[in-house]
Amino acid sequence: MMPTPTNLVVVMADQFRAMAIGAVGGDPVSTPNLDRLIASGCHVPNAVSNYPVCSPHRAMFLTSRTPRENGVTLNVNSERALEGIGLRDGLATWASVLRDEGYRTGYIGKWHLEPPVDEDEEYGEGRRDDGVVWDAWSPPHRRFGFDFWHSYGAADRHLSPHYWVGDAQRHERLDVDRWSAEYETDVAIGFISEAAEQDAPFALMVSLNPPHQPFDQVPERYRPAYADLDEAQLLTRPNVELGTPFAADMAAIARDYFAAVTGVDEQIGRIVDALADAGVERDTVVVFTSDHGMQLGSHGLIDKNVPYEESMRVPFVLHGPGLIPAGESNELVSALDMAPTLLGLTGHADAIPVAMSGVDRSAALTARAAVSDDPAAVYYRFASRQNPSEVRGLRTRRAKFIAIWVPGAGLEIEYYDLQHDPYEQRSAPADPDVPAMANRLMRRLESEGDDWSGAGELRARFAV
């Protein structure tokens, strides 16, 4: 049984893809601290983002509610705020549950769930070149269970970040002349040191923006390890077409991206060391994860918000001496599963709200139960002004089914056998398993009340 109460530290690095850990294999990265956590903790290679873009994933991660339920169907910004897109008031999160259980809760870093209002243009990051405001101050009553607050909305200024601290008002932001990941780790270490002296458990989330773009905003000290690597050494996945101008551009990005990955890894090591220094390492579960990955040239793409593994798979590493058995777990954990799983890992499975739609995977991850027989994660992408297509899909351990509804063109189907085609280079929409996957996806969407635009044609095509 998990000891109760158990402290929790969650580190989420934005756009940190699953294969960007040295011990995992894949990208040519140096991550000695994450390698150490994997060696002594639990690594979950089948952790996936149901919606691999920032705001939708974070909303599911916190609430275990689908995008239609939690209100975050697209990335949150001022344009979409006018459409009502933003995390809905009153939703339970794993943080609010733990706070009710007597935990001291804290949030540090990027939030990106608050709809910007007019004043945020003046007091936040400002209006970007796309004409939209992304950064926003979060009022104290909309912090969803987090009491300690050292955060901002969505501002991509890694070398000159700003924060709203505690009860600071919108016009009272704190500007810092440091690399954001390093500064936020300093704040986290201070929180841990103080919380360890209190007669109460604690739960802290540290949300680092790097290695998200702007990729060149990374301290110089991390760059030398990658400066001399050529295109083939940097872009090692076979679904990247080398020798093209696009690949050359991706290689230049990869040098900075991997440098930031190494910098993030250093901060993770500092946090774990701080837990040991405070004498609470054996009472604390540390979780490292991300909101999504990035393509970095795979399939001819740069960023995310696509169903390919480079974007959809996220790192999920658990560490806790005496709490987390060492080894790799074949359990599939999706964004929707993460809130109930965190509650299970801290010993509060009995407090999981009924409204949370994900599954508590903690028993399998701590070797107290067998892994699930055949779990599946739904993939979501909602239509936007920039991209009218609307996508749903299903990922299991061995396969991925993707249905793309394109207005005026109809339904497109992709299917990948992940066991025999792990780099998704051969879509097989006529595979004999496709009808069963389509049927399974439709049952899931119906159970969620998802009125996806392509449902009618999918049902007609596969007679489901």
Side-chain angles (χ1 to χ4, degrees):
M1 296 293 293
M2 294 292 296
T4 304
T6 301
N7 303 319
L8 175 68
V9 175
V10 176
V11 181
M12 177 179 284
D14 200 319
Q15 205 158 297
F16 193 121
R17 65 189 197 169
M19 53 284 304
I21 300 177
V24 172
D27 290 333
V29 288
S30 174
T31 55
N33 294 289
L34 281 169
D35 294 352
R36 172 166 57 101
L37 296 192
I38 287 176
S40 59
C42 177
H43 172 238
V44 186
N46 280 302
V48 297
S49 175
N50 302 79
Y51 196 154
V53 69
C54 183
S55 302
H57 176 94
R58 290 164 186 268
M60 285 186 279
F61 180 87
L62 290 170
T63 69
S64 187
R65 306 285 291 272
T66 67
R68 287 195 185 277
E69 293 175 318
N70 65 43
V72 185
T73 54
L74 295 166
N75 256 347
V76 177
N77 59 35
S78 59
E79 179 181 87
R80 291 163 182 167
L82 300 175
E83 303 168 16
I85 293 174
L87 192 56
R88 290 192 175 126
D89 282 331
L91 296 179
T93 67
W94 57 261
S96 67
V97 172
L98 291 180
R99 183 181 63 183
D100 291 346
E101 294 290 322
Y103 278 62
R104 185 185 184 201
T105 58
Y107 194 94
I108 299 168
K110 181 176 181 177
W111 180 245
H112 203 183
L113 291 168
E114 185 65 31
V117 297
D118 291 344
E119 293 88 347
D120 286 313
E121 179 178 359
E122 177 180 357
Y123 294 110
E125 179 193 48
R127 195 170 294 272
R128 294 186 184 176
D129 292 341
D130 60 5
V132 175
V133 177
W134 293 79
D135 189 26
W137 171 77
S138 293
H141 71 278
R142 280 186 48 80
R143 293 176 182 175
F144 295 89
F146 293 103
D147 291 326
F148 178 89
W149 190 260
H150 204 111
S151 182
Y152 61 96
D156 292 335
R157 297 176 179 174
H158 304 329
L159 299 177
S160 55
H162 64 259
Y163 305 88
W164 286 279
V165 180
D167 293 332
Q169 296 300 298
R170 197 185 311 270
H171 64 284
E172 297 176 314
R173 82 180 203 191
L174 171 68
D175 288 81
V176 176
D177 188 22
R178 296 274 300 284
W179 188 48
S180 62
E182 183 178 36
Y183 172 77
E184 289 158 22
T185 299
D186 288 349
V187 177
I189 290 171
F191 177 95
I192 290 167
S193 177
E194 183 178 341
E197 297 177 358
Q198 306 295 316
D199 187 23
F202 63 86
L204 174 66
M205 182 162 173
V206 186
S207 177
L208 308 176
N209 203 357
H212 187 281
Q213 61 261 44
F215 302 110
D216 61 347
Q217 292 186 19
V218 59
E220 290 295 330
R221 63 183 180 274
Y222 301 121
R223 283 198 166 107
Y226 307 100
D228 296 330
L229 298 184
D230 64 25
E231 184 180 292
Q233 292 171 309
L234 290 161
L235 308 175
T236 59
R237 296 182 72 75
N239 54 17
V240 179
E241 184 181 357
L242 300 177
T244 66
F246 178 73
D249 290 342
M250 293 303 99
I253 288 174
R255 291 185 185 94
D256 285 341
Y257 178 79
F258 295 150
V261 163
T262 295
V264 166
D265 177 80
E266 183 177 291
Q267 310 317 312
I268 294 165
R270 293 178 62 213
I271 289 172
V272 174
D273 290 345
L275 292 168
D277 292 343
V280 294
E281 185 180 21
R282 302 192 70 83
D283 303 312
T284 306
V285 171
V286 176
V287 176
F288 173 70
T289 189
S290 179
D291 50 358
H292 52 77
M294 73 173 292
Q295 291 302 112
L296 201 58
S298 292
H299 302 283
L301 301 169
I302 300 174
D303 288 328
K304 62 270 185 180
N305 205 11
V306 292
Y308 298 122
E309 291 290 275
E310 294 81 8
S311 289
M312 193 174 180
R313 276 187 59 217
V314 294
F316 200 62
V317 179
L318 313 177
H319 171 77
L323 302 172
I324 304 296
E328 185 171 276
S329 174
N330 197 36
E331 187 60 281
L332 189 150
V333 183
S334 78
L336 287 169
D337 299 326
M338 289 182 182
T341 297
L342 294 179
L343 292 173
L345 288 169
T346 55
H348 297 283
D350 58 348
I352 297 171
V354 174
M356 287 189 172
S357 61
V359 178
D360 172 13
R361 308 288 187 184
S362 63
L365 299 179
T366 54
R368 292 178 287 123
V371 299
S372 305
D373 287 340
D374 187 23
V378 175
Y379 173 87
Y380 306 92
R381 192 177 78 217
F382 284 72
S384 67
R385 294 182 186 181
Q386 294 76 22
N387 185 349
S389 67
E390 195 169 10
V391 186
R392 296 294 184 272
L394 205 65
R395 186 201 188 275
T396 67
R397 291 191 187 98
R398 70 172 195 85
K400 185 181 294 179
F401 172 81
I402 300 297
I404 307 163
W405 173 257
V406 182
L411 195 66
E412 300 174 7
I413 300 297
E414 296 181 12
Y415 177 84
Y416 299 98
D417 181 336
L418 298 177
Q419 292 183 318
H420 298 98
D421 181 24
Y423 298 100
E424 298 164 296
Q425 296 175 289
R426 300 180 299 277
S427 177
D431 189 277
D433 288 339
V434 165
M437 288 283 276
N439 185 45
R440 188 174 181 181
L441 173 62
M442 282 304 307
R443 291 199 305 268
R444 283 287 295 271
L445 298 181
E446 288 167 2
S447 71
E448 295 176 2
D450 187 343
D451 57 350
W452 170 57
S453 301
E457 185 166 337
L458 184 68
R459 187 178 294 109
R461 184 177 300 187
F462 295 102
V464 295

